[in-house]
């Protein structure tokens, strides 16, 4: 399995037509190949970052049309819980739209850039080795370090485009040039830093999901350190300077414009990329520096059933998403008192976003909708496990035993559905307890729990659509599933604000359900959406029986 280039004299690549180090032979060809493979994904990521900038730049003047309205929102950003969500709140003593953008929304651009690069590097390095496709590439004139180098070059190109798009669109909506360039560079350099981190983690594990999970853990730890550091004081604390996600915020765009801060992600990128090349030189092709733990010789009895195997495969995703959503729910609940304090002077447009003049009820309904969209995203992510099992060939091994196709798909769908229900109920309870603890109103527990549970049919319908696509058109499962989640988020959070057409609102499964406690619970829509989810799930089983396994 080991395929290394042992010739030390410069060679001429027959594909690239260039001479160079044999360890990097074929890098240029691989870069063009990776750009060709990512011709849809990468523009979609960069375009999404740009749309976020356009939306925030356009929405802020509608939410707070006057300077007084802007000042009324300052409380949401300057309180400790608010800073945990957003950032160190630079410039809130004299708020402007561009300072609100940098203080409250730019940190999420940095977070998305990190996530984009984790997926990019994992997809083009460890996943290629895991599936064996990299071995076919290495059979040609390709150097030992070519795949990693090509992946990092593609990451450099992508983050350069992200920097240009974010900066250009921030300028287009009227923000100051220096601060806009700082935000854009913050996005690109943060993305490159996490590309370097992922380049290290893919050397440590034999499996792409584990490598991405380790890099994701670094991203999550960075978010937690930034949140705790920014909670400590306005402007951040020493802990904020430990987090790679805190560095671009500490540049204080539109306020202090600190350029030197951006040297920190540059240093992290150089260190991690260097470490990745050193580690790559110390391992065999296909192997990892951290040996995989051998399993037991005999599986437990419950693993011998389709349901038990599905539960085992879905366990990691359920725990990761479940714990993350529950923790976010607790933080949201703890933010209730801050919302009440700021509610007296809150602009009318923001009250409309929460759907009612009764701010607490509107906020509780908003929390239910917010968490339900996140749980719907979990179901889309979890159902992609089926596609991965199918493409890796492991599904064929399972189906070659006494396991029917419908049982295989149905088991995964049932396990994911149960996981979604558990996450929703647990998050509703914990959020309600947190809200009651900070306000002293324990009647909020029941209301918050109800706001989560009444939207569960919408979550299950998203899951059923993914299952149906897995049964009939598996290649469309991921794109259509994520589009449905994004559409639901836009309709739930900004439908009223943007005056979206009725036909578009109707495409969201959540739009047909009551937003408790703002609206009274209605049994008929609840049952209709639930029955529709069951019917679409049954359609999925029919499709799975009719199509070929591992079909495109």
């Amino acid at each position: 399995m080991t395929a290394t280039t042992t010739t030390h004299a410069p060679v001429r690549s027959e594909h690239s037509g260039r001479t160079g180090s044999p360890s990097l032979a074929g890098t240029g060809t691989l870069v063009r190949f990776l750009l060709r493979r990512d011709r849809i994904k990468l523009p979609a990521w960069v375009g999404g970052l740009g749309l976020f900038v356009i939306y925030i730049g356009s929405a802020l003047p509608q939410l707070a049309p006057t300077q007084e309205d802007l000042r009324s929102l300052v409380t949401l950003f300057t309180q400790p819980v608010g800073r945990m969500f957003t950032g160190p709140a630079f410039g809130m003593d004299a708020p402007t739209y561009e300072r609100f953008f940098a203080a409250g929304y730019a940190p999420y651009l940095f977070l998305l850039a990190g996530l984009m690069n984790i997926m990019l590097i994992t997809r083009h390095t460890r996943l290629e080795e895991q599936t064996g496709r990299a071995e076919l590439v290495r059979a040609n004139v390709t150097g030992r370090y070519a795949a990693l180098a090509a992946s990092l070059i593609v990451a450099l190109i992508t983050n350069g485009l992200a920097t240009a798009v974010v900066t250009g669109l921030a300028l287009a909506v009227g923000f100051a040039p220096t601060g806009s360039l700082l935000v854009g560079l913050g996005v690109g350099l943060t993305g490159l830093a996490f590309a370097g981190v992922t380049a290290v983690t893919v050397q440590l594990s034999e499996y792409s999901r584990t490598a991405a999970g380790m890099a994701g853990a670094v991203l999550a730890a960075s978010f937690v350190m930034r949140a705790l550091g920014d909670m400590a004081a306005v402007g951040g604390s020493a802990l904020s300077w430990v987090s790679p996600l805190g560095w671009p915020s500490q540049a204080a765009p539109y306020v202090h414009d600190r350029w030197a801060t951006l040297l920190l992600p540059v240093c992290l990128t150089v260190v991690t990329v260097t470490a990745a090349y050193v580690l790559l030189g110390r391992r065999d092709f296909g192997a990892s520096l951290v040996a995989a733990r051998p399993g037991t010789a005999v599986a437990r009895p419950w693993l011998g059933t389709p349901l038990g195997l599905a539960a085992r495969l879905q366990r990691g995703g359920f725990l990761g998403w479940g714990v993350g959503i529950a923790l976010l729910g607790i933080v949201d609940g703890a933010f209730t008192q801050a919302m009440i304090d700021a509610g007296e002077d809150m602009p009318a447009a923001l009250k409309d976003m929460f759907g009612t003049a009764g701010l607490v009820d509107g906020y509780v309904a908003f929390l239910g909708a917010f968490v339900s969209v996140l749980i719907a995203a979990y179901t889309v992510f979890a159902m992609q496990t089926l596609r991965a099992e199918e493409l890796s060939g492991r599904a064929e091994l399972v189906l070659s035993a006494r396991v029917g196709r419908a049982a295989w798909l149905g088991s995964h769908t049932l396990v994911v559905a149960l996981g979604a229900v558990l996450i929703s109920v647990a998050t509703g309870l914990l959020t309600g307890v947190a809200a009651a603890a900070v306000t002293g109103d324990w009647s909020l527990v029941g209301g918050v729990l109800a706001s989560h549970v009444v939207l569960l049919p919408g979550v299950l319908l998203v899951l059923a659509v993914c299952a149906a696509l897995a049964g009939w058109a598996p290649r469309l499962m991921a794109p259509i599933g994520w589009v449905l989640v994004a559409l639901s988020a836009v309709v739930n959070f900004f439908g009223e604000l943007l005056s979206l057409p009725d036909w578009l609102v109707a495409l969201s499964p959540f739009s047909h359900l009551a937003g408790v406690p703002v609206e009274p619970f209605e049994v008929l829509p609840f049952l209709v959406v639930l029955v529709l989810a069951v019917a679409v799930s049954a359609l999925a089983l029919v499709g799975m029986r009719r199509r070929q396994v591992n079909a495109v």
Side-chain angles (χ1 to χ4, degrees):
M1 296 291 289
T2 301
T4 60
T5 304
T6 56
T7 304
H8 298 289
V11 297
R12 184 181 181 84
S13 168
E14 62 185 56
H15 297 285
S16 65
R18 298 174 184 271
T19 57
S21 169
S23 298
L24 296 173
T27 300
T29 303
L30 281 176
V31 169
R32 292 192 292 274
F33 176 59
L34 299 188
L35 290 174
R36 163 77 177 167
R37 286 185 61 190
D38 281 353
R39 63 189 183 279
I40 296 177
K41 289 180 180 175
L42 295 185
W45 268 102
V46 174
L49 295 174
L51 286 176
F52 188 77
V53 177
I54 292 176
Y55 171 74
I56 297 302
S58 305
L60 278 175
Q62 296 184 46
L63 286 171
T66 67
Q67 188 67 24
E68 286 303 314
D69 290 332
L70 272 178
R71 289 188 179 280
S72 68
L73 293 175
V74 166
T75 307
L76 299 176
F77 291 79
T78 55
Q79 288 203 1
V81 176
R83 292 199 300 273
M84 180 173 65
F85 269 121
T86 56
F90 284 111
M92 290 297 102
D93 52 336
T96 61
Y97 293 134
E98 55 196 11
R99 290 182 176 185
F100 262 77
F101 166 67
Y105 303 100
Y108 290 95
L109 289 174
F110 308 145
L111 183 68
L112 290 172
L115 188 62
M116 174 181 71
N117 282 272
I118 289 173
M119 297 173 70
L120 188 156
I121 297 297
T122 307
R123 182 168 64 247
H124 291 309
T125 54
R126 178 52 68 178
L127 182 60
E128 292 298 287
E129 288 191 46
Q130 181 183 329
T131 57
R133 289 191 291 264
E135 193 168 9
L136 296 176
V137 173
R138 290 283 292 273
N140 293 287
V141 183
T142 308
R144 181 182 184 84
Y145 301 110
L148 179 59
S151 301
L152 290 171
I153 291 173
V154 171
L156 182 64
I157 294 171
T158 304
N159 287 289
L161 286 174
T163 298
V165 168
V166 170
T167 303
L169 292 176
L171 290 172
V173 296
F175 295 163
T178 304
S180 300
L181 182 57
L182 271 173
V183 172
L185 283 173
V187 171
L189 294 177
T190 303
L192 282 177
F194 280 95
V197 170
T198 312
V200 172
T201 62
V202 296
Q203 314 305 324
L204 303 179
S205 173
E206 291 185 21
Y207 302 102
S208 60
R209 295 182 69 175
T210 306
M214 287 191 286
V218 175
L219 184 67
S222 300
F223 183 85
V224 171
M225 286 189 292
R226 192 230 28 98
L228 295 176
D230 290 345
M231 279 182 70
V234 173
S237 63
L239 200 56
S240 305
W241 288 89
V242 178
S243 166
L245 287 179
W247 297 335
S249 295
Q250 289 300 323
Y254 309 112
V255 184
H256 302 306
D257 292 337
R258 300 168 178 158
W259 291 94
T261 308
L262 296 183
L263 291 176
L264 291 170
V266 174
C267 293
L268 179 60
T269 304
V270 172
V271 170
T272 51
V273 168
T274 303
Y277 277 105
V278 172
L279 295 175
L280 178 58
R282 293 175 177 273
R283 70 175 178 88
D284 288 335
F285 178 77
S288 64
L289 294 175
V290 178
R293 188 177 60 181
T296 57
V298 180
R300 296 176 181 176
W302 59 270
L303 268 178
T305 65
L307 202 59
L309 180 60
R312 176 66 182 83
L313 292 174
Q314 298 287 352
R315 184 179 61 180
F318 166 72
L319 291 176
W321 279 82
V323 171
I325 293 174
L327 289 177
L328 186 60
I330 294 172
V331 174
D332 287 340
F335 200 55
T336 305
Q337 187 60 50
M339 291 294 299
I340 295 173
D341 294 340
E344 295 294 331
D345 302 320
M346 187 170 286
L350 199 57
K351 288 181 179 177
D352 290 342
M353 192 172 79
F354 293 132
T356 178
L359 193 61
V360 174
D361 286 350
Y363 184 58
V364 168
F366 178 81
L367 291 182
F370 180 64
V371 168
S372 297
V373 170
L374 289 181
I375 299 174
Y378 154 70
T379 64
V380 176
F381 172 85
M383 290 301 286
Q384 291 181 57
T385 301
L386 283 95
R387 186 68 176 152
E389 290 295 297
E390 202 171 341
L391 291 176
S392 66
R394 290 190 293 269
E396 290 182 71
L397 296 176
V398 173
L399 296 174
S400 65
R402 299 178 62 184
V403 178
R405 299 180 184 188
W408 178 67
L409 176 58
S411 299
H412 279 271
T413 306
L414 180 59
V415 167
V416 175
L418 291 174
V421 173
L422 280 174
I423 293 173
S424 179
V425 172
T427 304
L429 276 174
L430 293 171
T431 305
V433 170
V438 297
T439 60
D441 181 5
W442 289 93
S443 65
L444 284 174
V445 177
V448 174
L449 177 61
S451 71
H452 287 61
V453 173
V454 296
L455 296 179
L456 268 174
V459 174
L460 297 178
L461 184 54
V462 173
L463 168 62
V465 170
C466 289
L469 291 167
W472 290 91
R475 289 190 65 183
L476 298 178
M477 180 174 61
I480 292 182
W482 288 117
V483 166
L484 190 53
V485 171
L487 174 68
S488 300
V490 171
V491 170
N492 280 1
F493 308 144
F494 310 115
E496 293 290 334
L497 191 66
L498 299 176
S499 300
L500 296 176
D502 292 341
W503 65 267
L504 187 61
V505 174
L507 292 178
S508 168
F510 300 99
S511 64
H512 306 285
L513 301 166
V516 174
V518 174
E519 301 169 340
F521 173 67
E522 295 184 29
V523 177
L524 185 59
F526 185 89
L527 292 178
V528 168
V529 177
L530 193 61
V531 170
L532 187 60
V534 174
V536 175
S537 299
L539 188 66
L541 303 183
V542 175
M544 193 65 214
R545 284 176 173 165
R546 295 171 63 90
R547 76 167 173 88
Q548 292 182 343
V549 177
N550 205 9
V552 296

